[in-house]
Short mmCIF file of all heavy atoms in Angstrom, two decimals:
data_model
loop_
_atom_site.label_atom_id
_atom_site.label_comp_id
_atom_site.label_asym_id
_atom_site.label_seq_id
_atom_site.Cartn_x
_atom_site.Cartn_y
_atom_site.Cartn_z
N LEU A 52 -24.82 -117.48 -58.74
CA LEU A 52 -24.54 -118.32 -59.90
C LEU A 52 -25.68 -118.34 -60.91
O LEU A 52 -25.45 -118.30 -62.12
CB LEU A 52 -24.23 -119.74 -59.41
CG LEU A 52 -23.57 -120.70 -60.37
CD1 LEU A 52 -22.29 -120.12 -60.95
CD2 LEU A 52 -23.28 -122.02 -59.67
N ALA A 53 -26.92 -118.39 -60.45
CA ALA A 53 -28.07 -118.57 -61.35
C ALA A 53 -28.16 -117.49 -62.46
O ALA A 53 -28.30 -117.85 -63.63
CB ALA A 53 -29.37 -118.64 -60.56
N PRO A 54 -28.07 -116.20 -62.13
CA PRO A 54 -28.19 -115.19 -63.21
C PRO A 54 -27.05 -115.28 -64.23
O PRO A 54 -27.26 -115.08 -65.42
CB PRO A 54 -28.14 -113.84 -62.47
CG PRO A 54 -28.40 -114.15 -61.04
CD PRO A 54 -27.99 -115.56 -60.81
N VAL A 55 -25.86 -115.60 -63.75
CA VAL A 55 -24.71 -115.73 -64.65
C VAL A 55 -24.93 -116.90 -65.60
O VAL A 55 -24.66 -116.81 -66.81
CB VAL A 55 -23.40 -115.94 -63.84
CG1 VAL A 55 -22.25 -116.34 -64.74
CG2 VAL A 55 -23.05 -114.68 -63.08
N LEU A 56 -25.43 -118.00 -65.05
CA LEU A 56 -25.66 -119.18 -65.89
C LEU A 56 -26.72 -118.90 -66.94
O LEU A 56 -26.55 -119.24 -68.12
CB LEU A 56 -26.07 -120.38 -65.04
CG LEU A 56 -24.98 -120.92 -64.11
CD1 LEU A 56 -25.50 -122.13 -63.34
CD2 LEU A 56 -23.72 -121.26 -64.87
N TRP A 57 -27.84 -118.28 -66.53
CA TRP A 57 -28.89 -118.02 -67.52
C TRP A 57 -28.37 -117.10 -68.63
O TRP A 57 -28.51 -117.41 -69.81
CB TRP A 57 -30.15 -117.43 -66.88
CG TRP A 57 -31.17 -117.18 -67.95
CD1 TRP A 57 -31.48 -116.00 -68.53
CD2 TRP A 57 -31.92 -118.17 -68.64
NE1 TRP A 57 -32.40 -116.19 -69.53
CE2 TRP A 57 -32.68 -117.52 -69.62
CE3 TRP A 57 -32.01 -119.57 -68.54
CZ2 TRP A 57 -33.53 -118.20 -70.49
CZ3 TRP A 57 -32.87 -120.24 -69.40
CH2 TRP A 57 -33.62 -119.55 -70.35
N ASP A 58 -27.78 -115.98 -68.26
CA ASP A 58 -27.30 -115.03 -69.27
C ASP A 58 -26.20 -115.64 -70.15
O ASP A 58 -26.22 -115.48 -71.37
CB ASP A 58 -26.78 -113.76 -68.61
CG ASP A 58 -27.87 -112.93 -67.96
OD1 ASP A 58 -29.06 -113.15 -68.28
OD2 ASP A 58 -27.55 -112.07 -67.12
N GLY A 59 -25.26 -116.34 -69.52
CA GLY A 59 -24.15 -116.92 -70.28
C GLY A 59 -24.59 -118.03 -71.21
O GLY A 59 -24.21 -118.07 -72.39
N PHE A 60 -25.40 -118.96 -70.70
CA PHE A 60 -25.84 -120.07 -71.54
C PHE A 60 -26.89 -119.64 -72.56
O PHE A 60 -27.02 -120.27 -73.61
CB PHE A 60 -26.33 -121.24 -70.68
CG PHE A 60 -25.19 -122.08 -70.18
CD1 PHE A 60 -24.63 -121.85 -68.94
CD2 PHE A 60 -24.67 -123.10 -70.96
CE1 PHE A 60 -23.57 -122.61 -68.48
CE2 PHE A 60 -23.61 -123.88 -70.51
CZ PHE A 60 -23.06 -123.63 -69.27
N PHE A 61 -27.61 -118.56 -72.30
CA PHE A 61 -28.51 -118.01 -73.31
C PHE A 61 -27.68 -117.60 -74.53
O PHE A 61 -28.05 -117.85 -75.67
CB PHE A 61 -29.32 -116.83 -72.76
CG PHE A 61 -30.27 -116.26 -73.76
CD1 PHE A 61 -31.48 -116.89 -74.02
CD2 PHE A 61 -29.97 -115.10 -74.45
CE1 PHE A 61 -32.37 -116.37 -74.96
CE2 PHE A 61 -30.84 -114.57 -75.38
CZ PHE A 61 -32.04 -115.21 -75.64
N GLN A 62 -26.53 -116.97 -74.26
CA GLN A 62 -25.64 -116.58 -75.36
C GLN A 62 -24.99 -117.80 -76.01
O GLN A 62 -24.84 -117.87 -77.23
CB GLN A 62 -24.56 -115.62 -74.85
CG GLN A 62 -25.10 -114.27 -74.43
CD GLN A 62 -24.01 -113.36 -73.89
OE1 GLN A 62 -22.99 -113.18 -74.53
NE2 GLN A 62 -24.25 -112.78 -72.73
N ALA A 63 -24.61 -118.79 -75.19
CA ALA A 63 -23.92 -119.98 -75.71
C ALA A 63 -24.87 -120.94 -76.44
O ALA A 63 -24.42 -121.81 -77.18
CB ALA A 63 -23.23 -120.72 -74.57
N ALA A 64 -26.18 -120.79 -76.24
CA ALA A 64 -27.13 -121.67 -76.92
C ALA A 64 -27.07 -121.47 -78.43
O ALA A 64 -27.41 -122.37 -79.19
CB ALA A 64 -28.55 -121.42 -76.42
N ARG A 65 -26.59 -120.32 -78.85
CA ARG A 65 -26.37 -120.07 -80.28
C ARG A 65 -24.89 -119.81 -80.48
O ARG A 65 -24.34 -118.83 -79.96
CB ARG A 65 -27.17 -118.88 -80.78
CG ARG A 65 -26.94 -118.65 -82.27
CD ARG A 65 -28.05 -117.84 -82.90
NE ARG A 65 -27.98 -117.91 -84.33
CZ ARG A 65 -27.18 -117.14 -85.07
NH1 ARG A 65 -26.41 -116.26 -84.52
NH2 ARG A 65 -27.19 -117.26 -86.39
N ARG A 66 -24.26 -120.71 -81.18
CA ARG A 66 -22.83 -120.57 -81.44
C ARG A 66 -22.66 -119.71 -82.68
O ARG A 66 -23.12 -120.06 -83.77
CB ARG A 66 -22.20 -121.95 -81.63
CG ARG A 66 -20.70 -121.88 -81.62
CD ARG A 66 -20.09 -123.09 -81.00
NE ARG A 66 -18.65 -122.90 -80.92
CZ ARG A 66 -17.80 -123.89 -80.79
NH1 ARG A 66 -18.25 -125.12 -80.69
NH2 ARG A 66 -16.52 -123.65 -80.72
N THR A 67 -21.99 -118.58 -82.51
CA THR A 67 -21.89 -117.60 -83.59
C THR A 67 -20.69 -117.82 -84.50
O THR A 67 -20.61 -117.21 -85.55
CB THR A 67 -21.84 -116.18 -83.01
OG1 THR A 67 -20.74 -116.09 -82.10
CG2 THR A 67 -23.14 -115.85 -82.28
N SER A 68 -19.74 -118.66 -84.07
CA SER A 68 -18.57 -118.95 -84.91
C SER A 68 -17.98 -120.29 -84.49
O SER A 68 -18.31 -120.82 -83.43
CB SER A 68 -17.52 -117.84 -84.78
OG SER A 68 -16.94 -117.87 -83.50
N GLN A 69 -17.09 -120.81 -85.31
CA GLN A 69 -16.44 -122.08 -84.99
C GLN A 69 -15.40 -121.92 -83.87
O GLN A 69 -15.10 -122.85 -83.19
CB GLN A 69 -15.77 -122.66 -86.22
CG GLN A 69 -16.75 -123.28 -87.18
CD GLN A 69 -17.53 -124.39 -86.54
OE1 GLN A 69 -18.66 -124.19 -86.11
NE2 GLN A 69 -16.96 -125.56 -86.45
N GLY A 70 -14.86 -120.75 -83.72
CA GLY A 70 -13.82 -120.53 -82.71
C GLY A 70 -14.40 -120.28 -81.33
O GLY A 70 -15.55 -120.59 -81.03
N CYS A 71 -13.58 -119.70 -80.52
CA CYS A 71 -13.93 -119.39 -79.13
C CYS A 71 -15.00 -118.30 -79.08
O CYS A 71 -14.92 -117.31 -79.79
CB CYS A 71 -12.66 -118.92 -78.43
SG CYS A 71 -12.85 -118.50 -76.71
N GLN A 72 -15.99 -118.52 -78.24
CA GLN A 72 -17.06 -117.54 -78.02
C GLN A 72 -17.07 -117.22 -76.53
O GLN A 72 -17.13 -118.14 -75.71
CB GLN A 72 -18.39 -118.14 -78.47
CG GLN A 72 -19.57 -117.23 -78.31
CD GLN A 72 -20.81 -117.87 -78.94
OE1 GLN A 72 -20.77 -118.39 -80.05
NE2 GLN A 72 -21.91 -117.84 -78.21
N ILE A 73 -16.99 -115.95 -76.16
CA ILE A 73 -16.90 -115.57 -74.75
C ILE A 73 -18.05 -114.63 -74.39
O ILE A 73 -18.16 -113.53 -74.93
CB ILE A 73 -15.55 -114.89 -74.44
CG1 ILE A 73 -14.39 -115.83 -74.81
CG2 ILE A 73 -15.48 -114.48 -72.97
CD1 ILE A 73 -13.00 -115.22 -74.67
N ALA A 74 -18.88 -115.08 -73.45
CA ALA A 74 -19.94 -114.24 -72.91
C ALA A 74 -19.36 -113.46 -71.73
O ALA A 74 -18.78 -114.03 -70.83
CB ALA A 74 -21.12 -115.09 -72.46
N GLN A 75 -19.50 -112.14 -71.76
CA GLN A 75 -19.02 -111.27 -70.70
C GLN A 75 -20.20 -110.91 -69.81
O GLN A 75 -21.17 -110.34 -70.28
CB GLN A 75 -18.39 -110.02 -71.31
CG GLN A 75 -17.24 -110.34 -72.24
CD GLN A 75 -16.74 -109.13 -73.00
OE1 GLN A 75 -16.77 -108.02 -72.49
NE2 GLN A 75 -16.29 -109.35 -74.22
N LEU A 76 -20.07 -111.25 -68.53
CA LEU A 76 -21.20 -111.14 -67.60
C LEU A 76 -20.77 -110.45 -66.32
O LEU A 76 -19.57 -110.30 -66.04
CB LEU A 76 -21.71 -112.55 -67.28
CG LEU A 76 -21.93 -113.46 -68.49
CD1 LEU A 76 -21.84 -114.90 -68.11
CD2 LEU A 76 -23.26 -113.13 -69.12
N ARG A 77 -21.76 -110.08 -65.52
CA ARG A 77 -21.50 -109.54 -64.18
C ARG A 77 -22.31 -110.36 -63.19
O ARG A 77 -23.40 -110.82 -63.52
CB ARG A 77 -21.89 -108.07 -64.10
CG ARG A 77 -21.03 -107.21 -65.01
CD ARG A 77 -21.40 -105.75 -64.96
NE ARG A 77 -20.90 -105.18 -63.72
CZ ARG A 77 -21.58 -104.33 -62.96
NH1 ARG A 77 -22.78 -103.96 -63.31
NH2 ARG A 77 -21.06 -103.84 -61.86
N TYR A 78 -21.77 -110.52 -62.00
CA TYR A 78 -22.48 -111.27 -60.97
C TYR A 78 -22.26 -110.63 -59.61
O TYR A 78 -21.30 -109.88 -59.41
CB TYR A 78 -22.05 -112.74 -60.96
CG TYR A 78 -20.67 -113.00 -60.38
CD1 TYR A 78 -20.54 -113.51 -59.08
CD2 TYR A 78 -19.51 -112.76 -61.10
CE1 TYR A 78 -19.28 -113.75 -58.53
CE2 TYR A 78 -18.25 -113.00 -60.56
CZ TYR A 78 -18.15 -113.50 -59.28
OH TYR A 78 -16.91 -113.74 -58.74
N SER A 79 -23.16 -110.94 -58.68
CA SER A 79 -23.03 -110.47 -57.31
C SER A 79 -21.93 -111.26 -56.64
O SER A 79 -21.98 -112.49 -56.59
CB SER A 79 -24.36 -110.68 -56.58
OG SER A 79 -24.19 -110.41 -55.21
N ASP A 80 -20.93 -110.55 -56.12
CA ASP A 80 -19.75 -111.23 -55.58
C ASP A 80 -19.95 -111.79 -54.17
O ASP A 80 -19.05 -112.38 -53.59
CB ASP A 80 -18.53 -110.31 -55.60
CG ASP A 80 -18.66 -109.09 -54.70
OD1 ASP A 80 -19.64 -108.99 -53.93
OD2 ASP A 80 -17.76 -108.24 -54.75
N GLY A 81 -21.13 -111.62 -53.60
CA GLY A 81 -21.41 -112.14 -52.27
C GLY A 81 -20.92 -111.24 -51.14
O GLY A 81 -21.11 -111.54 -49.97
N ARG A 82 -20.28 -110.13 -51.49
CA ARG A 82 -19.79 -109.18 -50.50
C ARG A 82 -20.46 -107.82 -50.67
O ARG A 82 -19.96 -106.80 -50.19
CB ARG A 82 -18.27 -109.04 -50.62
CG ARG A 82 -17.49 -110.31 -50.42
CD ARG A 82 -15.98 -110.09 -50.57
NE ARG A 82 -15.62 -109.38 -51.77
CZ ARG A 82 -15.17 -109.94 -52.88
NH1 ARG A 82 -15.03 -111.22 -52.98
NH2 ARG A 82 -14.84 -109.20 -53.92
N GLY A 83 -21.55 -107.81 -51.42
CA GLY A 83 -22.28 -106.56 -51.64
C GLY A 83 -21.87 -105.82 -52.89
O GLY A 83 -22.39 -104.74 -53.16
N GLY A 84 -20.96 -106.36 -53.65
CA GLY A 84 -20.51 -105.71 -54.87
C GLY A 84 -20.76 -106.58 -56.09
O GLY A 84 -21.40 -107.62 -56.02
N MET A 85 -20.25 -106.13 -57.20
CA MET A 85 -20.37 -106.87 -58.46
C MET A 85 -18.98 -107.27 -58.92
O MET A 85 -17.99 -106.63 -58.59
CB MET A 85 -21.05 -106.00 -59.53
CG MET A 85 -22.48 -105.60 -59.20
SD MET A 85 -23.60 -106.99 -58.98
CE MET A 85 -23.76 -107.55 -60.67
N ALA A 86 -18.93 -108.35 -59.70
CA ALA A 86 -17.68 -108.83 -60.28
C ALA A 86 -17.97 -109.31 -61.69
O ALA A 86 -19.12 -109.50 -62.08
CB ALA A 86 -17.09 -109.95 -59.42
N THR A 87 -16.91 -109.52 -62.45
CA THR A 87 -17.02 -109.99 -63.83
C THR A 87 -16.98 -111.50 -63.87
O THR A 87 -16.23 -112.13 -63.11
CB THR A 87 -15.85 -109.41 -64.67
OG1 THR A 87 -15.92 -107.98 -64.62
CG2 THR A 87 -15.92 -109.88 -66.11
N ALA A 88 -17.76 -112.07 -64.75
CA ALA A 88 -17.72 -113.50 -65.04
C ALA A 88 -17.60 -113.67 -66.55
O ALA A 88 -18.09 -112.84 -67.31
CB ALA A 88 -18.97 -114.19 -64.52
N LEU A 89 -16.93 -114.73 -66.95
CA LEU A 89 -16.79 -115.05 -68.37
C LEU A 89 -17.24 -116.49 -68.57
O LEU A 89 -16.79 -117.38 -67.85
CB LEU A 89 -15.34 -114.91 -68.82
CG LEU A 89 -14.69 -113.54 -68.62
CD1 LEU A 89 -13.20 -113.61 -68.93
CD2 LEU A 89 -15.36 -112.50 -69.49
N LEU A 90 -18.10 -116.72 -69.54
CA LEU A 90 -18.44 -118.07 -69.95
C LEU A 90 -17.80 -118.28 -71.30
O LEU A 90 -18.17 -117.62 -72.27
CB LEU A 90 -19.95 -118.31 -70.01
CG LEU A 90 -20.33 -119.73 -70.43
CD1 LEU A 90 -19.87 -120.76 -69.40
CD2 LEU A 90 -21.83 -119.85 -70.67
N ILE A 91 -16.84 -119.18 -71.34
CA ILE A 91 -16.06 -119.43 -72.54
C ILE A 91 -16.55 -120.72 -73.18
O ILE A 91 -16.51 -121.78 -72.56
CB ILE A 91 -14.55 -119.53 -72.21
CG1 ILE A 91 -14.11 -118.25 -71.49
CG2 ILE A 91 -13.74 -119.80 -73.46
CD1 ILE A 91 -12.79 -118.36 -70.78
N LEU A 92 -17.03 -120.62 -74.40
CA LEU A 92 -17.49 -121.77 -75.18
C LEU A 92 -16.45 -122.03 -76.26
O LEU A 92 -16.06 -121.12 -76.99
CB LEU A 92 -18.85 -121.46 -75.81
CG LEU A 92 -19.34 -122.38 -76.93
CD1 LEU A 92 -19.46 -123.82 -76.46
CD2 LEU A 92 -20.66 -121.87 -77.49
N ASN A 93 -16.00 -123.27 -76.33
CA ASN A 93 -14.99 -123.64 -77.30
C ASN A 93 -15.13 -125.13 -77.61
O ASN A 93 -15.66 -125.88 -76.79
CB ASN A 93 -13.59 -123.37 -76.73
CG ASN A 93 -12.54 -123.25 -77.80
OD1 ASN A 93 -12.53 -122.28 -78.56
ND2 ASN A 93 -11.65 -124.22 -77.87
N ASP A 94 -14.65 -125.56 -78.76
CA ASP A 94 -14.55 -127.00 -79.00
C ASP A 94 -13.68 -127.58 -77.89
O ASP A 94 -12.72 -126.94 -77.45
CB ASP A 94 -13.89 -127.29 -80.35
CG ASP A 94 -14.74 -126.84 -81.54
OD1 ASP A 94 -15.97 -126.71 -81.37
OD2 ASP A 94 -14.17 -126.63 -82.62
N ASP A 95 -14.01 -128.79 -77.46
CA ASP A 95 -13.20 -129.42 -76.42
C ASP A 95 -11.85 -129.79 -77.01
O ASP A 95 -11.76 -130.28 -78.14
CB ASP A 95 -13.90 -130.67 -75.89
CG ASP A 95 -13.10 -131.30 -74.76
OD1 ASP A 95 -12.62 -130.55 -73.89
OD2 ASP A 95 -12.95 -132.53 -74.77
N MET A 96 -10.81 -129.53 -76.26
CA MET A 96 -9.46 -129.89 -76.68
C MET A 96 -8.55 -129.98 -75.47
O MET A 96 -8.83 -129.34 -74.44
CB MET A 96 -8.92 -128.91 -77.72
CG MET A 96 -8.90 -127.47 -77.32
SD MET A 96 -8.52 -126.36 -78.68
CE MET A 96 -9.87 -126.61 -79.80
N PRO A 97 -7.49 -130.77 -75.57
CA PRO A 97 -6.58 -130.92 -74.44
C PRO A 97 -5.95 -129.58 -74.03
O PRO A 97 -5.67 -128.74 -74.87
CB PRO A 97 -5.50 -131.87 -74.97
CG PRO A 97 -6.12 -132.56 -76.14
CD PRO A 97 -7.11 -131.60 -76.72
N TYR A 98 -5.78 -129.43 -72.75
CA TYR A 98 -5.07 -128.30 -72.13
C TYR A 98 -5.77 -126.96 -72.28
O TYR A 98 -5.20 -125.92 -71.98
CB TYR A 98 -3.62 -128.20 -72.64
CG TYR A 98 -2.89 -129.48 -72.52
CD1 TYR A 98 -2.51 -130.20 -73.65
CD2 TYR A 98 -2.58 -130.01 -71.26
CE1 TYR A 98 -1.85 -131.41 -73.52
CE2 TYR A 98 -1.92 -131.22 -71.14
CZ TYR A 98 -1.56 -131.91 -72.27
OH TYR A 98 -0.91 -133.10 -72.15
N LEU A 99 -7.02 -126.95 -72.73
CA LEU A 99 -7.74 -125.68 -72.90
C LEU A 99 -7.91 -124.95 -71.57
O LEU A 99 -7.58 -123.78 -71.47
CB LEU A 99 -9.09 -125.92 -73.56
CG LEU A 99 -9.95 -124.67 -73.78
CD1 LEU A 99 -9.25 -123.72 -74.76
CD2 LEU A 99 -11.33 -125.04 -74.27
N VAL A 100 -8.39 -125.66 -70.56
CA VAL A 100 -8.63 -125.00 -69.27
C VAL A 100 -7.31 -124.56 -68.64
O VAL A 100 -7.21 -123.45 -68.11
CB VAL A 100 -9.43 -125.92 -68.32
CG1 VAL A 100 -9.60 -125.27 -66.96
CG2 VAL A 100 -10.79 -126.24 -68.92
N ASP A 101 -6.28 -125.40 -68.73
CA ASP A 101 -4.97 -125.01 -68.21
C ASP A 101 -4.47 -123.73 -68.90
O ASP A 101 -3.93 -122.84 -68.25
CB ASP A 101 -3.94 -126.13 -68.42
CG ASP A 101 -4.29 -127.38 -67.63
OD1 ASP A 101 -4.88 -127.25 -66.54
OD2 ASP A 101 -3.96 -128.47 -68.10
N SER A 102 -4.67 -123.66 -70.21
CA SER A 102 -4.24 -122.48 -70.96
C SER A 102 -5.03 -121.25 -70.55
O SER A 102 -4.48 -120.14 -70.45
CB SER A 102 -4.39 -122.73 -72.46
OG SER A 102 -3.57 -123.81 -72.86
N ILE A 103 -6.33 -121.42 -70.29
CA ILE A 103 -7.17 -120.30 -69.85
C ILE A 103 -6.69 -119.81 -68.49
O ILE A 103 -6.54 -118.60 -68.27
CB ILE A 103 -8.66 -120.72 -69.81
CG1 ILE A 103 -9.19 -120.87 -71.24
CG2 ILE A 103 -9.49 -119.72 -69.02
CD1 ILE A 103 -10.56 -121.52 -71.33
N VAL A 104 -6.44 -120.72 -67.57
CA VAL A 104 -5.98 -120.34 -66.23
C VAL A 104 -4.64 -119.61 -66.32
O VAL A 104 -4.43 -118.59 -65.64
CB VAL A 104 -5.89 -121.57 -65.30
CG1 VAL A 104 -5.17 -121.25 -64.00
CG2 VAL A 104 -7.29 -122.11 -65.02
N MET A 105 -3.74 -120.10 -67.16
CA MET A 105 -2.44 -119.42 -67.31
C MET A 105 -2.61 -118.01 -67.90
O MET A 105 -1.93 -117.08 -67.49
CB MET A 105 -1.49 -120.25 -68.19
CG MET A 105 -1.05 -121.54 -67.52
SD MET A 105 -0.31 -121.31 -65.89
CE MET A 105 1.15 -120.38 -66.30
#
Side-chain angles (χ1 to χ4, degrees):
L52 196 54
V55 169
L56 293 181
W57 179 258
D58 291 343
F60 279 94
F61 181 78
Q62 292 178 51
R65 181 159 194 277
R66 192 146 185 200
T67 57
S68 69
Q69 284 300 99
C71 180
Q72 180 174 314
I73 302 174
Q75 301 171 33
L76 312 155
R77 295 180 75 222
Y78 74 102
S79 171
D80 65 7
R82 300 180 310 260
M85 297 300 288
T87 301
L89 302 172
L90 180 65
I91 304 164
L92 165 60
N93 201 69
D94 293 338
D95 183 44
M96 56 190 63
Y98 309 111
L99 179 64
V100 176
D101 296 328
S102 299
I103 288 170
V104 169
M105 292 306 296

